Amino acid sequence: MVVYVQDINGKPLMPTKRFGWVRRSLRDGKAVVVERCPFVIRLTYATTNYTQPITLGVDAGTIHVGLSATSAKEELFAEEVVLRKDIVDLISSRRETRRTRRNRLRYRKQRFSNRKINKGWLAPSVRQRIDAHLKAIEDVYFILPITKIIIEVAQFDTQKIKNPDISGTEYQQGEQLGFWNVREYVLARDGHRCQCCKGKSGDKILNVHHIESRKTGGNSPDNLITLCETCHKAYHQGKVCLKIKRTKSLRDAAVMGIMKWRLYDELKLRYPDVSMTFGYITKYNRIRNNIEKSHISDAFVISKNFKAKMLSYYYLVRKTRRHNRQIHKAKIMKGGKKKMNQASFEVKGFRLFDRVFYNGKIMFVTNRRSSGYFAIRDINYKNQIELNYKKLNLNRCKRNMIQLLIK
């Protein structure tokens, strides 16, 4: 284990493994605890600020982010951050609720003059991912005197993923070229035939069905399929089970292409020494140095201190929402009345996603009831247990994330 140290002004110093000195400093009042996971102390007396060069390797991604801070001799910090995937669903829920309020509950004249998109606007799901990267890097700067950042970014050719033989002017001629709209393209792609019964029902009326919910899957052609009206109705009545699955979505590849330069530019504005590397370089260095593939090890390789001794543990962080918003929990009942399925921000002293101890294990509060009965799960949202709050010991960490030390 490594203890991270700050000077009297909160400026990070080199970390230490002298646990006896740390205990004596805390006992004598020469240091105070700042964070517990990772363990950070702040000195209460003036000291020298000698530091060594430390490089932070960042393996950027749309779902997982790897971070590794290394000096020439050893790895000082390793962390894997799991990003949120609920942004699209929550925004869709908010949009549905707002449309209900504006249209079905009461009439309001349409107003479109106040709609505008500012320069540099990004979709909220993309903006959240960039902010999560910046916050993770900022947290490392809080505990270590980082001198250099190396970030690996990737850009994917989504059209070449679909069609490896594409070239030249074919890039300007998409798969929907010559069709009036997406529906016409999907019907032509499926041969104007039901993909469930293959025309056996004899129903000539064709519908375009969403394989995944429109709320999260969108209206892209790979999420649409042709069904006759008979099969379509039977499916929604639960009488027919479709064995067709959506083709692999290229959303992550597209998001990574959007994130690439925006993330790099914002890092250059915040920090003095930022450079970029690419996946093929990381792969070559990882194989050359016989290092196992993972998000943490990729970040270690990106830092380019190959002779440094790797840590035997890392921190696993899962990003969560800050609050349980009222608009995401409101249920519209008959007559336009809203039923609120939401507990208070703090119940019996516990908040959503608080870290707790139960039977010697670290768990996290995922559901709360005003009666005091909570549901707790592990960091992967598995192994749910329901019990009374009196059996839990609170060990709260930073807000907007749940954090665990993995050995």
Side-chain angles (χ1 to χ4, degrees):
M1 290 288 292
V2 176
V3 176
Y4 303 97
V5 185
Q6 297 178 346
D7 65 11
I8 192 171
N9 298 316
K11 185 178 179 180
L13 303 174
M14 294 302 293
T16 182
K17 294 182 180 179
R18 297 182 297 161
F19 305 120
W21 171 79
V22 172
R23 285 194 297 267
R24 290 192 298 271
S25 298
L26 293 172
R27 181 193 62 194
D28 299 338
K30 295 181 178 180
V32 293
V33 177
V34 179
E35 294 286 349
R36 296 185 180 275
C37 187
F39 198 80
V40 185
I41 63 171
R42 180 174 298 167
L43 303 179
T44 58
Y45 60 92
T47 183
T48 57
N49 56 357
Y50 171 75
T51 59
Q52 301 172 12
I54 299 176
T55 303
L56 176 63
V58 182
D59 180 22
T62 57
I63 300 176
H64 299 270
V65 182
L67 298 165
S68 177
T70 60
S71 64
K73 294 183 179 180
E74 60 181 339
E75 186 178 28
L76 303 173
F77 181 79
E79 182 179 72
E80 178 181 343
V81 181
V82 183
L83 304 182
R84 294 175 61 184
K85 296 185 290 185
D86 60 345
I87 302 296
V88 174
D89 183 56
L90 292 175
I91 289 179
S92 299
S93 298
R94 184 184 66 180
R95 181 173 60 248
E96 291 175 0
T97 306
R98 285 179 173 173
R99 284 179 176 175
T100 297
R101 183 178 62 199
R102 292 168 181 165
N103 298 320
R104 292 198 290 272
L105 297 185
R106 61 184 176 87
Y107 174 77
R108 191 186 74 179
K109 187 178 179 181
Q110 292 182 345
R111 297 180 298 180
F112 297 105
S113 59
N114 60 346
R115 305 292 194 267
K116 67 176 183 178
I117 297 178
N118 296 324
K119 185 178 180 180
W121 177 88
L122 289 173
S125 57
V126 180
R127 182 72 259 176
Q128 180 271 332
R129 287 180 169 90
I130 293 176
D131 291 342
H133 281 75
L134 297 174
K135 184 64 171 69
I137 294 170
E138 181 184 335
D139 289 342
V140 181
Y141 265 82
F142 181 73
I143 62 174
L144 285 172
I146 304 296
T147 54
K148 183 179 181 179
I149 297 178
I150 303 178
I151 181 170
E152 179 199 291
V153 293
Q155 187 166 356
F156 300 92
D157 188 342
T158 54
Q159 294 196 53
K160 206 169 189 67
I161 293 175
K162 293 180 179 180
N163 179 17
D165 299 326
I166 192 172
S167 62
T169 58
E170 294 177 356
Y171 277 100
Q172 302 173 14
Q173 301 170 358
E175 57 185 5
Q176 298 180 46
L177 180 68
F179 295 97
W180 289 99
N181 51 40
V182 178
R183 184 180 185 276
E184 184 185 358
Y185 165 74
V186 173
L187 293 174
R189 180 197 66 188
D190 295 339
H192 290 83
R193 189 173 68 163
C194 176
Q195 299 301 298
C196 179
C197 68
K198 305 300 181 181
K200 294 179 181 179
S201 67
D203 193 342
K204 296 183 179 181
I205 300 177
L206 298 178
N207 299 147
V208 174
H209 169 71
H210 290 80
I211 301 174
E212 288 183 5
S213 168
R214 183 188 306 173
K215 189 176 183 180
T216 55
N219 293 321
S220 59
D222 60 350
N223 190 40
L224 299 173
I225 191 172
T226 303
L227 295 178
C228 65
E229 189 165 304
T230 302
C231 293
H232 198 195
K233 289 181 178 179
Y235 171 79
H236 286 291
Q237 292 171 359
K239 298 178 181 179
V240 173
C241 180
L242 292 177
K243 297 181 180 180
I244 302 169
K245 294 184 178 180
R246 181 182 181 179
T247 57
K248 186 176 181 181
S249 174
L250 300 178
R251 178 179 293 174
D252 288 338
V255 170
M256 201 65 221
I258 298 171
M259 285 175 50
K260 176 183 177 181
W261 292 110
R262 181 63 66 88
L263 177 59
Y264 181 63
D265 291 341
E266 293 198 19
L267 284 174
K268 287 177 66 177
L269 291 174
R270 297 186 180 204
Y271 305 108
D273 192 351
V274 180
S275 59
M276 182 187 295
T277 187
F278 301 94
Y280 71 93
I281 299 175
T282 304
K283 182 178 180 180
Y284 171 77
N285 289 330
R286 187 182 66 247
I287 296 174
R288 182 183 180 185
N289 292 276
N290 196 24
I291 297 176
E292 186 179 353
K293 166 71 175 175
S294 71
H295 299 289
I296 303 299
S297 59
D298 276 358
F300 174 82
V301 173
I302 291 168
S303 68
K304 296 184 179 180
N305 286 318
F306 306 117
K307 295 183 179 180
K309 182 181 178 181
M310 295 183 68
L311 290 173
S312 59
Y313 62 91
Y314 68 94
Y315 293 94
L316 177 61
V317 174
R318 182 178 291 276
K319 289 290 185 178
T320 63
R321 64 179 185 266
R322 286 184 180 271
H323 303 291
N324 196 6
R325 288 197 64 191
Q326 174 181 335
I327 198 169
H328 295 140
K329 288 292 182 180
K331 302 294 183 183
I332 307 300
M333 310 299 287
K334 290 184 178 180
K337 295 182 179 179
K338 293 183 181 180
K339 179 182 178 182
M340 305 309 302
N341 298 325
Q342 181 185 23
S344 303
F345 179 71
E346 189 168 299
V347 179
K348 308 295 183 182
F350 292 86
R351 301 174 185 173
L352 198 63
F353 304 119
D354 268 346
R355 184 172 57 189
V356 295
F357 287 112
Y358 175 69
N359 286 346
K361 296 181 180 180
I362 297 178
M363 307 288 279
F364 299 89
V365 177
T366 54
N367 296 91
R368 303 159 303 149
R369 299 183 184 90
S370 301
S371 61
Y373 275 86
F374 298 163
I376 60 174
R377 294 185 177 93
D378 60 20
I379 195 167
N380 295 315
Y381 292 168
K382 297 180 180 178
N383 303 321
Q384 178 173 322
I385 302 173
E386 295 192 10
L387 71 174
N388 192 282
Y389 77 97
K390 295 180 180 179
K391 298 181 180 180
L392 302 177
N393 293 320
L394 180 62
N395 184 22
R396 185 172 291 156
C397 55
K398 296 182 199 175
R399 301 305 301 162
N400 200 28
M401 67 175 65
I402 54 180
Q403 200 169 33
L404 190 64
L405 176 65
I406 307 250
K407 295 184 179 181

